[in-house]
Amino acid sequence: MMTVNEVSKLSGVSIRSLHYYDKIGLLPATEVTAAGYRLYDDKALERLQMILLFKELQFPLKEITMILDSPDFDRNTALEQQIRLLELRRDHLEDLIALARGIKTKGVRKMSRICFEDFDTRRIDEYAAQAKASWGMTGAYREFEQKSAGRSKEEEKLLGMQMMEIFEALGKIRHAGPGSEEAQVLVRQLQDFITSHYYTCTDEILLSLGQMYAGGGDMTDNIDKYAGSGTAAFACEAIDAYLLAKRGR
């Protein structure tokens, strides 16, 4: 067992922060002595490592608590995805360093879209959104594996096209607004379609998917390319309106 002071010296996390982590349930002390001293075992230190990794990836403390406390949380999967996120951030920083060096030696290039590509973090943001969703959806992915087992590539492609047709229908009624009856019917259809063919699409998962649709990465581009520019963002708004209406019932 280690005291809070020893954990602070070992990890670099301030005693004040460790007290706060305990208070909010993020890192509860393993034991509290009769004198009120917090003690931490090896399991608590392993959890602190995961907390610090998620913090490094800029996840809010509340989300880290939810992820680590999820019954479906898989440490190895999370580590693999954290490594990939850190690699993406490293590549991004190396590109920025190269850009800064180029400006220093050659001056600023003629302004164009390519001049700002090194500042684009959409790949990182998209992967982070997908990873975060999977950390809270491990059970859903297991269900997906079961439902997709034995399906041919042609069958998977057909399902993908049928799902895109729902987005296409959403794109066609954008003028009606995300809270319109037409939009709400299509969101419900989307949720039911995912549940039938992929995994149980709970309201929480649907909310996460909506955020991914409008996240600005490849998923957004694919939806907008098929269903019309702005459809991915509209789908996210329609999902928000759908869930808000459900909570108000």
Side-chain angles (χ1 to χ4, degrees):
M1 290 282 207
M2 298 182 70
T3 66
V4 69
N5 187 51
E6 291 170 331
V7 173
S8 177
K9 290 180 179 179
L10 177 68
S11 65
V13 179
S14 70
I15 293 175
R16 183 178 180 180
S17 293
L18 290 170
H19 285 171
Y20 181 66
Y21 293 172
D22 189 2
K23 180 180 178 181
I24 65 175
L26 176 60
L27 183 67
T30 307
E31 184 181 317
V32 179
T33 68
Y37 293 107
R38 295 174 172 85
L39 299 176
Y40 298 84
D41 61 9
D42 289 343
K43 188 174 181 181
L45 294 178
E46 288 180 9
R47 182 178 173 96
L48 178 58
Q49 284 183 323
M50 298 301 297
I51 292 168
L52 295 179
L53 274 171
F54 278 116
K55 275 196 68 184
E56 185 66 28
L57 296 170
Q58 300 177 351
F59 280 81
L61 295 182
K62 184 178 180 180
E63 290 186 4
I64 297 174
T65 304
M66 292 173 62
I67 291 168
L68 295 180
D69 289 345
S70 169
D72 291 327
F73 177 72
D74 185 288
R75 178 177 174 274
N76 289 333
T77 298
L79 283 170
E80 289 174 4
Q81 292 172 327
Q82 286 169 334
I83 290 168
R84 179 56 182 152
L85 275 169
L86 289 169
E87 288 174 341
L88 287 171
R89 286 184 61 189
R90 177 200 62 198
D91 294 344
H92 177 64
L93 288 173
E94 288 178 349
D95 289 342
L96 289 176
I97 291 170
L99 174 65
R101 284 176 175 162
I103 293 173
K104 181 181 178 182
T105 57
K106 301 178 182 178
V108 178
R109 293 174 289 180
K110 182 180 179 181
M111 290 297 102
S112 65
R113 173 78 173 84
I114 196 172
C115 295
F116 295 91
E117 285 182 351
D118 292 329
F119 296 98
D120 192 343
T121 62
R122 284 186 299 173
R123 283 183 64 210
I124 300 173
D125 295 340
E126 180 184 14
Y127 189 86
Q130 292 173 343
K132 184 167 69 173
S134 72
W135 288 325
M137 293 166 54
T138 307
Y141 281 114
R142 284 199 294 266
E143 186 180 352
F144 167 75
E145 290 177 354
Q146 293 172 354
K147 288 189 174 182
S148 62
R151 280 205 295 246
S152 66
K153 290 184 178 180
E154 291 74 17
E155 289 171 328
E156 289 288 356
K157 185 177 180 179
L158 177 61
L159 286 175
M161 292 295 292
Q162 290 173 344
M163 189 166 170
M164 278 298 181
E165 287 173 0
I166 299 175
F167 287 113
E168 184 178 29
L170 278 166
K172 290 178 179 178
I173 55 97
R174 276 181 293 157
H175 63 279
S180 65
E181 183 178 353
E182 300 98 314
Q184 299 304 287
V185 168
L186 287 169
V187 170
R188 178 63 184 176
Q189 184 180 339
L190 176 64
Q191 187 177 30
D192 290 344
F193 183 88
I194 294 171
T195 296
S196 296
H197 300 289
Y198 297 109
Y199 46 76
T200 302
C201 186
T202 64
D203 289 349
E204 291 75 15
I205 290 176
L206 183 63
L207 178 64
S208 295
L209 290 173
Q211 294 168 350
M212 289 167 64
Y213 296 153
D218 290 341
M219 189 174 292
T220 303
D221 294 341
N222 290 335
I223 292 173
D224 285 355
K225 183 178 179 180
Y226 188 93
S229 179
T231 299
F234 178 75
C236 179
E237 293 172 0
I239 287 171
D240 289 344
Y242 170 77
L243 294 175
L244 183 62
K246 283 187 72 174
R247 286 195 292 268
R249 289 171 191 166

